[in-house]
């Protein structure tokens, strides 16, 4: 098992930046792909982007590739989501998740049910 904790959310103006963190106490966290989800007010959850164990990043939402990026720090078992040029439509609860199955080292698009280990989420609010 792995316990995930997200942090770094907050209130920023349009055009602002935030750096979210997804941390785990277990070193084994580093051997799994980490998917970021978000759920905006009144919307369904959506896959945003994912980092594999070889640090390949897969982007799943239009309009984020030039503004969002991921990085992994093996020393502190943390994946960072850096978001720049934030827009009001980025307002959402951001959650990270991992799939501890045999293929969990790769990102899996449209298979959110595999990511059963998730944190509690962190709120990002972008004011207009």
């Amino acid at each position: 098992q792995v316990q995930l904790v997200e942090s770094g959310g907050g209130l920023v103006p349009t055009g602002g930046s935030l750096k979210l963190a997804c941390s785990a106490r277990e070193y084994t966290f580093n051997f799994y792909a980490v998917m970021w989800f978000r759920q905006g007010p009144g919307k369904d959850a959506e896959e945003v982007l994912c980092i594999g164990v070889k640090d390949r990043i897969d982007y799943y939402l239009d309009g984020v590739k030039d503004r969002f990026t991921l990085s992994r720090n093996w020393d502190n078992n943390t994946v960072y989501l850096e978001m720049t040029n934030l827009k009001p439509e980025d307002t959402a609860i951001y959650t990270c998740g991992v799939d501890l199955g045999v293929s969990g080292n790769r990102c899996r698009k449209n298979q959110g049910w595999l990511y059963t280990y998730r944190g509690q989420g962190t709120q990002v609010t972008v004011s207009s």
Side-chain angles (χ1 to χ4, degrees):
Q1 292 192 347
V2 62
Q3 291 186 319
L4 305 181
V5 177
E6 300 95 340
S7 61
L11 172 64
V12 296
T14 296
S17 300
L18 281 174
K19 185 174 182 178
L20 308 184
C22 174
S23 300
R25 292 184 299 178
E26 299 81 2
Y27 185 73
T28 52
F29 170 76
N30 295 310
F31 298 107
Y32 294 95
V34 178
M35 176 77 78
W36 281 89
F37 303 86
R38 74 182 186 185
Q39 186 167 15
K43 299 180 181 179
D44 293 331
E46 53 189 357
E47 298 168 348
V48 184
L49 71 174
C50 178
I51 185 168
V53 293
K54 295 184 179 181
D55 290 349
R56 167 180 161 160
I57 301 172
D58 292 335
Y59 297 88
Y60 300 133
L61 277 184
D62 292 337
V64 302
K65 189 172 185 178
D66 294 332
R67 301 186 296 121
F68 292 8
T69 191
L70 292 172
S71 59
R72 187 189 294 267
N73 187 320
W74 285 64
D75 291 335
N76 61 12
N77 309 334
T78 300
V79 166
Y80 297 99
L81 168 57
E82 294 187 73
M83 306 185 293
T84 62
N85 192 20
L86 283 162
K87 305 175 181 181
E89 52 265 41
D90 295 318
T91 294
I93 296 173
Y94 285 72
T95 305
C96 60
V98 295
D99 163 22
L100 298 186
V102 294
S103 299
N105 59 336
R106 294 185 290 117
C107 295
R108 300 287 195 94
K109 183 180 180 181
N110 295 330
Q111 298 184 55
W113 65 87
L114 294 174
Y115 296 86
T116 54
Y117 290 89
R118 305 189 187 193
Q120 81 290 348
T122 185
Q123 176 70 50
V124 171
T125 303
V126 185
S127 61
S128 58

